[in-house]
Amino acid sequence: MAITQSDIKRVKAEGFLLNRGTEEFSGRIITENGILTAQQMQVLSEAAAKYGNGKIEFTSRLTVECPGIHYDNIPAFQEAVKKGGMLTGGTGSKVRPVVSCKGTTCVFGLYDTQELAKEIHDKFYTGYHDVILPHKFKIAVGGCPNNCVKPGLNDFGVYGQCVPEQDLIKCRSCVKCGVIERCPVHCVSRGAAGKIVVDTEKCTNCGKCIAACPMHSFSEKERGYAVVIGGIWGKTQRLGTNIGGVYSEDEVMKLIEKAILLYRELGKTGERFGRTIDRVGVDEFIRQLKSDDVLSRKEAILAVAAKSKGGASC
């Protein structure tokens, strides 16, 4: 049978992307937080061998694609992976699958990134699945300021913060200072009488200094999340804007929801989130993001029919 453009568009919405120069498709599997069990991988391998070309490809956003699936085999492939608790999708002008680093096992990880990513997935990828946006909206969850998962290049990025507090009275001006040696961004130096001085402008709040001092001159003042918005890594680039402050998990979830609603309300069709922020004005956008006014308009914003032509205009 001849595959029409209507067919191609329909299955793309279900996560099947046409393989260039063929009449075969790649089926995109959604992971809630970048994790598949060994059993799921076995199910996926069997489906790829039976309905695809036997290959499994990993994308830059921690989803998995099985290429070489004939159009007629798409329903059977979907049914096969569903038995392993997996779904296809992850395309369109809407919230995309969440990307997470391995924060739970990394020595630098400040919190359980995979658990937070799953919560975001459930509430915004699944919960907002039918909400059409001006363009795609990508969310990245990083465990620390190392930025391995590139929060600043996503529409909404989160990374862990452990804010240190210094007690100069406990500092003994040790000849060999573990804090100076261990600080990864070299923001610690010696001041008057050999006491440790921290350049707070350079400090990334990684928390490594807290365990480095045997005199316990550093303690944990606050632990939470930093938020960056409007990152773009595509036809054009934009480094995400840090909105300032350290936020709790509940506050992060509210900020994500407000960002999505503001994007839907203020964004133009085909315009990436970062360009919407620049057009509205960074300071003004952050002001609206930090207020709760947009939440009072939630039902009205979601009730307006949205249109998206696809393909970023910037």
Side-chain angles (χ1 to χ4, degrees):
M1 61 174 289
I3 303 174
T4 66
Q5 286 300 314
S6 177
D7 294 329
I8 293 172
K9 183 177 181 179
R10 181 184 63 79
V11 297
K12 182 178 180 181
E14 297 178 9
F16 290 86
L17 309 172
L18 182 66
N19 297 165
R20 185 172 59 181
T22 74
E23 292 189 349
E24 297 174 339
F25 296 79
S26 291
R28 181 173 292 177
I29 303 296
I30 302 307
T31 64
E32 297 173 342
N33 48 14
I35 296 174
L36 289 176
T37 66
Q39 184 179 6
Q40 286 176 321
M41 286 299 296
Q42 184 175 353
V43 170
L44 191 57
S45 296
E46 292 172 356
K50 186 173 182 179
Y51 301 110
N53 62 10
K55 296 180 180 179
I56 295 177
E57 300 173 343
F58 295 88
T59 74
S60 60
R61 292 192 61 79
L62 300 182
T63 52
V64 182
E65 292 185 2
C66 295
I69 302 171
H70 192 275
Y71 179 83
D72 292 339
N73 286 332
I74 287 177
F77 178 84
Q78 288 177 302
E79 187 61 30
V81 299
K82 187 177 181 180
K83 292 178 181 178
M86 295 172 285
L87 299 173
T88 61
T91 60
S93 297
K94 55 183 68 178
V95 177
R96 293 294 185 87
V98 183
V99 174
S100 165
C101 74
K102 65 175 187 176
T104 46
T105 57
C106 178
V107 295
F108 296 101
L110 295 173
Y111 68 100
D112 190 341
T113 57
Q114 294 161 1
E115 180 60 29
L116 179 59
K118 187 180 185 309
E119 290 181 22
I120 294 173
H121 170 92
D122 291 343
K123 184 168 183 178
F124 298 111
Y125 176 77
T126 301
Y128 272 62
H129 191 68
D130 295 328
V131 176
I132 302 300
L133 300 174
H135 208 269
K136 56 193 170 187
F137 190 88
K138 298 179 176 180
I139 302 172
V141 179
C144 74
N146 284 353
N147 293 311
C148 298
V149 77
K150 311 295 187 295
L153 297 179
N154 282 259
D155 298 287
F156 195 102
V158 180
Y159 60 90
Q161 294 279 271
C162 182
V163 183
E165 185 171 45
Q166 186 179 10
D167 185 347
L168 283 174
I169 295 177
K170 292 182 178 179
C171 178
R172 295 292 182 265
S173 304
C174 301
V175 175
K176 184 177 181 180
C177 176
V179 176
I180 292 178
E181 290 184 350
R182 196 166 184 186
C183 177
V185 293
H186 309 294
C187 70
V188 185
S189 60
R190 292 188 185 276
K195 298 285 187 177
I196 297 302
V197 177
V198 178
D199 184 344
T200 55
E201 293 297 315
K202 289 177 63 178
C203 178
T204 61
N205 298 326
C206 70
K208 288 297 179 183
C209 57
I210 294 173
C213 177
M215 300 295 109
H216 307 292
S217 63
F218 284 85
S219 60
E220 182 180 310
K221 178 182 179 182
E222 185 180 16
R223 186 179 287 254
Y225 308 88
V227 170
V228 288
I229 58 173
I232 301 173
W233 192 254
K235 298 181 181 69
T236 59
Q237 294 80 46
R238 181 189 189 277
L239 184 61
T241 301
N242 192 313
I243 68 171
V246 177
Y247 301 91
S248 68
E249 183 176 316
D250 287 343
E251 289 172 328
V252 167
M253 298 298 279
K254 286 184 178 180
L255 286 167
I256 295 173
E257 185 163 32
K258 289 189 283 187
I260 293 170
L261 292 171
L262 284 170
Y263 185 30
R264 181 177 166 91
E265 181 180 50
L266 303 174
K268 296 180 178 179
T269 297
E271 180 180 66
R272 290 298 302 273
F273 183 49
R275 301 308 175 200
T276 299
I277 294 171
D278 291 336
R279 179 170 52 77
V280 172
V282 173
D283 291 341
E284 171 59 18
F285 195 94
I286 292 176
R287 183 194 70 78
Q288 293 191 45
L289 183 67
K290 289 186 176 183
S291 75
D292 287 331
D293 291 346
V294 67
L295 293 178
S296 67
R297 304 192 303 275
K298 177 178 176 178
E299 292 186 8
I301 292 171
L302 295 179
V304 175
K307 296 181 179 179
S308 180
K309 64 183 180 181
S313 60
C314 53

